[in-house]
Amino acid sequence: MELPLVVGVDGSESSLVAVDWAADEATRLGLPLRLVYASLWERYEGAVVRSSAEERLSGRIMAGRILGVAEERARRRDPEPKVSVEVVAEEAAEALLREGNNASALVTGSRGRGELQGLLLGSVGLAVASRAHCPVYVVRGDKAGLAGKHERILLGAGDPVAGAEAVRFAFREAEARQCPLDIVRAWGCPAHETTDHPRPADEPERFHRERASTLLDVLLHDAMAEHPGVRVRPDTVEGPAHKVLLRRSAAADLVIVGARRRRGHFGLQLGRVSHTLLHHAPCPVAVVPQRV
């Protein structure tokens, strides 16, 4: 049995947009959809904890209504995926991280209903994307990116070891969407290599460009053989990776990046590239962990 896509629902407009997007994604991937409401969401976001029996009952009623609206919305969006719902008596981030142990992927909105307006990415979404051991989609972006108008996805190619799972994930996505897969590896030439260097001025740049191209070939070799029908457009680009990918994501329906998950490390595990995209990308972002 296929593991479901699990969506965190809190009644915010952002989470309802995530439900819509996840319903489409579940149909593309042929997966069931599971909608989860964490009943302690208010406490996680800094609100007062309900204490009286009457208030707890009111909270359960509210949770049921929120899930009911989300379930109806998902079924109306696409009746094909099997949809299940559950209220979980945990704080939001912990609930979703636990759900991720039995999920194909987790889906969150970009900001919850308790978040400050100045935040670019909500605390729950950041915590889940930083710590989950399954892929995490953060649904954000402009209308074109959310609606899939660009008909292409983008992969930020990282280290051949730490980014292997992200590559496999990206090829599966491209195959399911029947769209091209743009793969970009950024490279840079450290300034000190060109200072008083006895070799021609363009040699350091050529070395780093060719090295990036070689690493990209190694990273993609197996996946391209396994998915011959996917149209792959690899590219190496000079510049900081977070800036290169942010710029390229404006023409994508989904941008995918890998993330290291070090065993025994319980803090936030995201690099600069992931942070930048999660806060600023004009399309949904998928963070795909790789245990190293």
Side-chain angles (χ1 to χ4, degrees), residues 14-62:
S14 176
S15 78
L16 293 177
V17 170
V19 169
D20 290 345
W21 190 91
D24 294 343
E25 184 74 356
T27 298
R28 279 191 291 265
L29 300 178
L31 298 174
L33 192 61
R34 176 171 165 79
L35 310 179
V36 174
Y37 179 93
S39 63
L40 301 184
W41 206 293
E42 294 88 347
R43 186 174 77 179
Y44 189 89
E45 302 298 349
V48 177
V49 180
R50 292 190 171 95
S51 55
S52 72
E54 182 178 351
E55 288 173 326
R56 288 195 296 272
L57 176 60
S58 176
R60 287 195 293 271
I61 292 172
M62 181 183 70

Short mmCIF file of all heavy atoms in Angstrom, two decimals, residues 14-62:
data_model
loop_
_atom_site.label_atom_id
_atom_site.label_comp_id
_atom_site.label_asym_id
_atom_site.label_seq_id
_atom_site.Cartn_x
_atom_site.Cartn_y
_atom_site.Cartn_z
N SER A 14 -3.46 29.81 3.96
CA SER A 14 -2.26 29.16 3.47
C SER A 14 -2.40 27.64 3.50
O SER A 14 -1.99 26.94 2.56
CB SER A 14 -1.05 29.58 4.31
OG SER A 14 0.11 28.89 3.93
N SER A 15 -3.00 27.10 4.56
CA SER A 15 -3.15 25.64 4.65
C SER A 15 -4.19 25.14 3.66
O SER A 15 -4.08 24.02 3.15
CB SER A 15 -3.49 25.21 6.07
OG SER A 15 -4.85 25.43 6.38
N LEU A 16 -5.21 25.93 3.37
CA LEU A 16 -6.21 25.52 2.39
C LEU A 16 -5.63 25.51 0.97
O LEU A 16 -5.95 24.64 0.16
CB LEU A 16 -7.43 26.43 2.46
CG LEU A 16 -8.24 26.32 3.76
CD1 LEU A 16 -9.39 27.32 3.76
CD2 LEU A 16 -8.77 24.89 3.95
N VAL A 17 -4.76 26.47 0.69
CA VAL A 17 -4.04 26.45 -0.59
C VAL A 17 -3.18 25.19 -0.67
O VAL A 17 -3.08 24.54 -1.72
CB VAL A 17 -3.18 27.72 -0.75
CG1 VAL A 17 -2.26 27.60 -1.96
CG2 VAL A 17 -4.08 28.94 -0.89
N ALA A 18 -2.56 24.81 0.46
CA ALA A 18 -1.75 23.60 0.50
C ALA A 18 -2.61 22.36 0.25
O ALA A 18 -2.17 21.41 -0.41
CB ALA A 18 -1.02 23.49 1.84
N VAL A 19 -3.84 22.35 0.78
CA VAL A 19 -4.76 21.24 0.54
C VAL A 19 -5.07 21.11 -0.95
O VAL A 19 -5.03 20.01 -1.52
CB VAL A 19 -6.05 21.40 1.36
CG1 VAL A 19 -7.11 20.40 0.90
CG2 VAL A 19 -5.77 21.22 2.84
N ASP A 20 -5.38 22.23 -1.59
CA ASP A 20 -5.65 22.21 -3.03
C ASP A 20 -4.46 21.63 -3.80
O ASP A 20 -4.61 20.77 -4.67
CB ASP A 20 -5.92 23.64 -3.54
CG ASP A 20 -7.24 24.19 -3.06
OD1 ASP A 20 -8.08 23.41 -2.58
OD2 ASP A 20 -7.43 25.42 -3.18
N TRP A 21 -3.27 22.15 -3.49
CA TRP A 21 -2.07 21.73 -4.19
C TRP A 21 -1.80 20.25 -3.94
O TRP A 21 -1.45 19.50 -4.87
CB TRP A 21 -0.89 22.57 -3.74
CG TRP A 21 0.34 22.40 -4.56
CD1 TRP A 21 0.73 23.11 -5.66
CD2 TRP A 21 1.38 21.42 -4.34
NE1 TRP A 21 1.92 22.65 -6.13
CE2 TRP A 21 2.34 21.62 -5.35
CE3 TRP A 21 1.56 20.42 -3.40
CZ2 TRP A 21 3.49 20.83 -5.44
CZ3 TRP A 21 2.71 19.63 -3.49
CH2 TRP A 21 3.65 19.84 -4.49
N ALA A 22 -1.98 19.81 -2.69
CA ALA A 22 -1.72 18.42 -2.34
C ALA A 22 -2.71 17.48 -3.02
O ALA A 22 -2.34 16.34 -3.39
CB ALA A 22 -1.76 18.24 -0.83
N ALA A 23 -3.96 17.90 -3.18
CA ALA A 23 -4.94 17.07 -3.89
C ALA A 23 -4.50 16.83 -5.32
O ALA A 23 -4.59 15.71 -5.85
CB ALA A 23 -6.31 17.73 -3.84
N ASP A 24 -4.02 17.87 -5.98
CA ASP A 24 -3.49 17.72 -7.34
C ASP A 24 -2.29 16.79 -7.36
O ASP A 24 -2.15 15.93 -8.24
CB ASP A 24 -3.10 19.08 -7.92
CG ASP A 24 -4.28 20.01 -8.13
OD1 ASP A 24 -5.43 19.51 -8.15
OD2 ASP A 24 -4.06 21.23 -8.26
N GLU A 25 -1.40 16.96 -6.39
CA GLU A 25 -0.18 16.16 -6.34
C GLU A 25 -0.50 14.69 -6.05
O GLU A 25 0.10 13.79 -6.64
CB GLU A 25 0.76 16.71 -5.25
CG GLU A 25 2.10 16.01 -5.15
CD GLU A 25 3.06 16.35 -6.29
OE1 GLU A 25 2.67 17.09 -7.22
OE2 GLU A 25 4.21 15.87 -6.25
N ALA A 26 -1.46 14.44 -5.17
CA ALA A 26 -1.86 13.06 -4.87
C ALA A 26 -2.40 12.37 -6.12
O ALA A 26 -2.12 11.19 -6.36
CB ALA A 26 -2.91 13.06 -3.76
N THR A 27 -3.16 13.11 -6.92
CA THR A 27 -3.68 12.54 -8.17
C THR A 27 -2.53 12.22 -9.13
O THR A 27 -2.49 11.15 -9.74
CB THR A 27 -4.65 13.53 -8.84
OG1 THR A 27 -5.75 13.75 -7.96
CG2 THR A 27 -5.16 12.98 -10.16
N ARG A 28 -1.59 13.15 -9.26
CA ARG A 28 -0.44 12.92 -10.16
C ARG A 28 0.35 11.68 -9.76
O ARG A 28 0.79 10.91 -10.60
CB ARG A 28 0.49 14.14 -10.15
CG ARG A 28 0.06 15.27 -11.03
CD ARG A 28 1.17 16.30 -11.16
NE ARG A 28 1.40 17.02 -9.92
CZ ARG A 28 0.86 18.21 -9.64
NH1 ARG A 28 0.04 18.78 -10.50
NH2 ARG A 28 1.14 18.81 -8.50
N LEU A 29 0.55 11.51 -8.46
CA LEU A 29 1.40 10.43 -7.97
C LEU A 29 0.64 9.16 -7.64
O LEU A 29 1.24 8.14 -7.29
CB LEU A 29 2.17 10.91 -6.74
CG LEU A 29 3.08 12.12 -6.93
CD1 LEU A 29 3.74 12.52 -5.61
CD2 LEU A 29 4.15 11.84 -7.99
N GLY A 30 -0.70 9.22 -7.71
CA GLY A 30 -1.51 8.05 -7.39
C GLY A 30 -1.45 7.68 -5.92
O GLY A 30 -1.42 6.49 -5.56
N LEU A 31 -1.47 8.69 -5.04
CA LEU A 31 -1.33 8.47 -3.60
C LEU A 31 -2.60 8.87 -2.85
O LEU A 31 -3.32 9.77 -3.29
CB LEU A 31 -0.17 9.29 -3.05
CG LEU A 31 1.22 8.98 -3.59
CD1 LEU A 31 2.23 9.97 -3.04
CD2 LEU A 31 1.63 7.56 -3.23
N PRO A 32 -2.88 8.23 -1.71
CA PRO A 32 -3.95 8.72 -0.85
C PRO A 32 -3.54 10.02 -0.17
O PRO A 32 -2.35 10.34 -0.08
CB PRO A 32 -4.14 7.58 0.17
CG PRO A 32 -2.84 6.85 0.17
CD PRO A 32 -2.25 7.00 -1.20
N LEU A 33 -4.54 10.74 0.31
CA LEU A 33 -4.31 12.05 0.95
C LEU A 33 -4.78 11.97 2.39
O LEU A 33 -5.89 11.51 2.67
CB LEU A 33 -5.10 13.11 0.18
CG LEU A 33 -4.81 14.58 0.46
CD1 LEU A 33 -3.37 14.93 0.12
CD2 LEU A 33 -5.77 15.46 -0.35
N ARG A 34 -3.95 12.43 3.30
CA ARG A 34 -4.29 12.41 4.73
C ARG A 34 -4.19 13.84 5.26
O ARG A 34 -3.14 14.49 5.14
CB ARG A 34 -3.34 11.49 5.49
CG ARG A 34 -3.53 11.45 7.01
CD ARG A 34 -2.68 10.34 7.59
NE ARG A 34 -2.52 10.43 9.02
CZ ARG A 34 -3.42 10.05 9.92
NH1 ARG A 34 -4.57 9.55 9.52
NH2 ARG A 34 -3.18 10.17 11.21
N LEU A 35 -5.29 14.33 5.83
CA LEU A 35 -5.34 15.69 6.38
C LEU A 35 -5.27 15.62 7.89
O LEU A 35 -6.06 14.91 8.52
CB LEU A 35 -6.63 16.39 5.94
CG LEU A 35 -6.94 16.34 4.44
CD1 LEU A 35 -8.26 17.04 4.15
CD2 LEU A 35 -5.82 16.93 3.61
N VAL A 36 -4.34 16.34 8.47
CA VAL A 36 -4.10 16.26 9.92
C VAL A 36 -4.22 17.65 10.54
O VAL A 36 -3.61 18.61 10.06
CB VAL A 36 -2.69 15.68 10.20
CG1 VAL A 36 -2.39 15.73 11.70
CG2 VAL A 36 -2.60 14.25 9.68
N TYR A 37 -5.00 17.72 11.61
CA TYR A 37 -5.10 18.95 12.40
C TYR A 37 -4.49 18.67 13.77
O TYR A 37 -4.88 17.73 14.46
CB TYR A 37 -6.56 19.37 12.56
CG TYR A 37 -6.75 20.62 13.41
CD1 TYR A 37 -6.81 21.87 12.81
CD2 TYR A 37 -6.86 20.55 14.80
CE1 TYR A 37 -6.98 23.02 13.57
CE2 TYR A 37 -7.02 21.69 15.56
CZ TYR A 37 -7.07 22.92 14.94
OH TYR A 37 -7.24 24.06 15.70
N ALA A 38 -3.52 19.47 14.17
CA ALA A 38 -2.90 19.33 15.49
C ALA A 38 -3.68 20.17 16.49
O ALA A 38 -3.75 21.39 16.35
CB ALA A 38 -1.44 19.77 15.44
N SER A 39 -4.25 19.55 17.48
CA SER A 39 -5.17 20.24 18.39
C SER A 39 -4.46 21.21 19.32
O SER A 39 -5.11 22.02 19.97
CB SER A 39 -5.97 19.23 19.21
OG SER A 39 -5.10 18.48 20.04
N LEU A 40 -3.15 21.12 19.42
CA LEU A 40 -2.41 22.06 20.26
C LEU A 40 -1.75 23.13 19.41
O LEU A 40 -0.79 23.77 19.83
CB LEU A 40 -1.35 21.32 21.09
CG LEU A 40 -1.89 20.24 22.04
CD1 LEU A 40 -0.75 19.66 22.86
CD2 LEU A 40 -2.95 20.80 22.95
N TRP A 41 -2.25 23.34 18.20
CA TRP A 41 -1.66 24.34 17.29
C TRP A 41 -1.60 25.71 17.95
O TRP A 41 -0.62 26.42 17.86
CB TRP A 41 -2.50 24.43 16.02
CG TRP A 41 -1.74 24.88 14.83
CD1 TRP A 41 -1.18 26.10 14.62
CD2 TRP A 41 -1.43 24.10 13.68
NE1 TRP A 41 -0.54 26.13 13.39
CE2 TRP A 41 -0.69 24.93 12.81
CE3 TRP A 41 -1.73 22.80 13.29
CZ2 TRP A 41 -0.23 24.47 11.56
CZ3 TRP A 41 -1.28 22.36 12.07
CH2 TRP A 41 -0.54 23.18 11.22
N GLU A 42 -2.66 26.07 18.67
CA GLU A 42 -2.69 27.39 19.28
C GLU A 42 -1.55 27.58 20.28
O GLU A 42 -0.93 28.62 20.36
CB GLU A 42 -4.03 27.64 19.98
CG GLU A 42 -5.21 27.70 19.03
CD GLU A 42 -5.81 26.34 18.77
OE1 GLU A 42 -5.17 25.33 19.13
OE2 GLU A 42 -6.91 26.28 18.21
N ARG A 43 -1.27 26.54 21.04
CA ARG A 43 -0.18 26.66 22.02
C ARG A 43 1.16 26.80 21.32
O ARG A 43 2.01 27.58 21.73
CB ARG A 43 -0.17 25.44 22.95
CG ARG A 43 0.85 25.59 24.08
CD ARG A 43 0.77 24.47 25.08
NE ARG A 43 1.38 23.26 24.58
CZ ARG A 43 1.46 22.13 25.28
NH1 ARG A 43 0.89 22.05 26.46
NH2 ARG A 43 2.04 21.07 24.77
N TYR A 44 1.35 26.05 20.23
CA TYR A 44 2.61 26.12 19.50
C TYR A 44 2.83 27.53 18.95
O TYR A 44 3.94 28.03 18.93
CB TYR A 44 2.60 25.12 18.34
CG TYR A 44 3.94 25.00 17.67
CD1 TYR A 44 4.87 24.07 18.13
CD2 TYR A 44 4.29 25.81 16.60
CE1 TYR A 44 6.12 23.96 17.54
CE2 TYR A 44 5.53 25.71 16.00
CZ TYR A 44 6.44 24.77 16.48
OH TYR A 44 7.67 24.67 15.88
N GLU A 45 1.76 28.17 18.53
CA GLU A 45 1.89 29.50 17.96
C GLU A 45 1.94 30.60 19.00
O GLU A 45 1.99 31.77 18.68
CB GLU A 45 0.72 29.76 16.99
CG GLU A 45 0.62 28.75 15.87
CD GLU A 45 1.84 28.74 14.97
OE1 GLU A 45 2.66 29.67 15.09
OE2 GLU A 45 1.98 27.83 14.16
N GLY A 46 1.86 30.24 20.30
CA GLY A 46 2.03 31.23 21.34
C GLY A 46 0.74 31.74 21.96
O GLY A 46 0.75 32.66 22.77
N ALA A 47 -0.41 31.12 21.59
CA ALA A 47 -1.68 31.55 22.17
C ALA A 47 -1.87 30.88 23.54
O ALA A 47 -1.11 30.02 23.96
CB ALA A 47 -2.82 31.20 21.24
N VAL A 48 -2.91 31.29 24.24
CA VAL A 48 -3.18 30.77 25.58
C VAL A 48 -3.70 29.34 25.48
O VAL A 48 -4.53 29.01 24.64
CB VAL A 48 -4.24 31.65 26.29
CG1 VAL A 48 -4.60 31.08 27.65
CG2 VAL A 48 -3.70 33.07 26.43
N VAL A 49 -3.23 28.46 26.35
CA VAL A 49 -3.67 27.08 26.35
C VAL A 49 -5.09 26.99 26.90
O VAL A 49 -5.42 27.58 27.92
CB VAL A 49 -2.72 26.22 27.22
CG1 VAL A 49 -3.18 24.77 27.23
CG2 VAL A 49 -1.30 26.34 26.73
N ARG A 50 -5.95 26.27 26.21
CA ARG A 50 -7.31 26.06 26.72
C ARG A 50 -7.24 25.20 27.97
O ARG A 50 -6.53 24.20 27.99
CB ARG A 50 -8.17 25.39 25.65
CG ARG A 50 -8.45 26.28 24.45
CD ARG A 50 -9.50 25.61 23.57
NE ARG A 50 -9.93 26.54 22.55
CZ ARG A 50 -9.43 26.59 21.33
NH1 ARG A 50 -8.45 25.78 21.02
NH2 ARG A 50 -9.88 27.46 20.45
N SER A 51 -8.04 25.49 28.95
CA SER A 51 -7.95 24.74 30.19
C SER A 51 -9.27 24.13 30.61
O SER A 51 -9.31 22.99 31.06
CB SER A 51 -7.43 25.64 31.32
OG SER A 51 -8.24 26.80 31.44
N SER A 52 -10.38 24.83 30.47
CA SER A 52 -11.65 24.31 30.95
C SER A 52 -12.21 23.25 30.01
O SER A 52 -11.86 23.20 28.82
CB SER A 52 -12.67 25.45 31.09
OG SER A 52 -13.08 25.89 29.82
N ALA A 53 -13.10 22.40 30.56
CA ALA A 53 -13.71 21.35 29.74
C ALA A 53 -14.52 21.97 28.60
O ALA A 53 -14.53 21.46 27.48
CB ALA A 53 -14.61 20.48 30.62
N GLU A 54 -15.20 23.07 28.90
CA GLU A 54 -16.00 23.73 27.87
C GLU A 54 -15.11 24.24 26.74
O GLU A 54 -15.44 24.10 25.55
CB GLU A 54 -16.77 24.90 28.48
CG GLU A 54 -17.67 25.62 27.49
CD GLU A 54 -18.46 26.74 28.14
OE1 GLU A 54 -18.43 26.83 29.38
OE2 GLU A 54 -19.09 27.50 27.40
N GLU A 55 -13.97 24.81 27.10
CA GLU A 55 -13.05 25.32 26.08
C GLU A 55 -12.44 24.19 25.28
O GLU A 55 -12.24 24.29 24.07
CB GLU A 55 -11.97 26.17 26.73
CG GLU A 55 -12.48 27.52 27.23
CD GLU A 55 -11.43 28.26 28.03
OE1 GLU A 55 -10.65 27.60 28.74
OE2 GLU A 55 -11.40 29.49 27.94
N ARG A 56 -12.14 23.05 25.95
CA ARG A 56 -11.58 21.91 25.24
C ARG A 56 -12.59 21.34 24.25
O ARG A 56 -12.25 20.96 23.14
CB ARG A 56 -11.12 20.83 26.22
CG ARG A 56 -9.85 21.21 26.99
CD ARG A 56 -9.24 20.00 27.67
NE ARG A 56 -10.13 19.44 28.68
CZ ARG A 56 -10.14 19.84 29.95
NH1 ARG A 56 -9.32 20.81 30.35
NH2 ARG A 56 -10.95 19.27 30.83
N LEU A 57 -13.85 21.29 24.68
CA LEU A 57 -14.90 20.82 23.79
C LEU A 57 -15.04 21.75 22.59
O LEU A 57 -15.17 21.30 21.44
CB LEU A 57 -16.24 20.74 24.53
CG LEU A 57 -17.46 20.35 23.68
CD1 LEU A 57 -17.26 18.98 23.06
CD2 LEU A 57 -18.73 20.37 24.54
N SER A 58 -14.99 23.05 22.87
CA SER A 58 -15.06 24.03 21.79
C SER A 58 -13.90 23.84 20.81
O SER A 58 -14.08 23.95 19.59
CB SER A 58 -15.03 25.44 22.37
OG SER A 58 -15.00 26.41 21.34
N GLY A 59 -12.72 23.53 21.35
CA GLY A 59 -11.56 23.30 20.50
C GLY A 59 -11.74 22.09 19.61
O GLY A 59 -11.37 22.11 18.43
N ARG A 60 -12.32 21.01 20.17
CA ARG A 60 -12.55 19.81 19.36
C ARG A 60 -13.57 20.08 18.26
O ARG A 60 -13.43 19.59 17.13
CB ARG A 60 -13.01 18.66 20.26
CG ARG A 60 -11.90 18.08 21.12
CD ARG A 60 -12.31 16.74 21.72
NE ARG A 60 -13.39 16.89 22.69
CZ ARG A 60 -13.21 17.12 23.98
NH1 ARG A 60 -11.97 17.24 24.47
NH2 ARG A 60 -14.24 17.22 24.80
N ILE A 61 -14.61 20.83 18.60
CA ILE A 61 -15.61 21.18 17.58
C ILE A 61 -14.98 22.00 16.46
O ILE A 61 -15.21 21.76 15.28
CB ILE A 61 -16.79 21.94 18.24
CG1 ILE A 61 -17.56 21.01 19.17
CG2 ILE A 61 -17.71 22.51 17.16
CD1 ILE A 61 -18.61 21.71 20.00
N MET A 62 -14.15 22.97 16.85
CA MET A 62 -13.48 23.80 15.86
C MET A 62 -12.57 22.96 14.97
O MET A 62 -12.55 23.13 13.74
CB MET A 62 -12.66 24.90 16.54
CG MET A 62 -11.95 25.82 15.55
SD MET A 62 -10.92 27.07 16.35
CE MET A 62 -9.60 26.02 16.99
#
